[in-house]
Amino acid sequence: MIRAEANALFRKHGFSPKAAGGWARGDWLEVRENGLRYLTDRSLHWLTEQESPDG
C-alpha cells in the first residue's frame, strides 16, 4: 500500500495518518524503505484469530 493510500485509509477510519508510526513501533505495521506499508506477522496472526470461530 502506498503512503497516500495508507493515509486515506487511516483518515477514513478516524485515525491520524501519523498513527502509522506508532503502529510500526508496536510491530503491527512495517514501513519499508520504498515507502510502502505492510502488515507484520503479528498483525496477520491477530487477524487470523479474529476470523476463527473461537476468536
Side-chain angles (χ1 to χ4, degrees):
M1 172 179 310
I2 61 172
R3 175 179 233 153
E5 290 173 330
N7 288 348
L9 185 62
F10 272 83
R11 280 191 201 97
K12 178 181 176 182
H13 294 284
F15 293 99
S16 167
K18 293 181 180 181
W23 287 28
R25 285 187 299 279
D27 195 35
W28 292 102
L29 184 70
E30 178 183 353
V31 182
R32 296 190 183 163
E33 288 182 20
N34 61 7
L36 298 179
R37 276 82 168 135
Y38 295 87
L39 294 177
T40 62
D41 288 340
R42 179 182 183 189
S43 294
L44 295 171
H45 178 74
W46 182 84
L47 287 170
T48 300
E49 287 179 342
Q50 301 311 304
E51 293 175 351
S52 73
D54 299 335

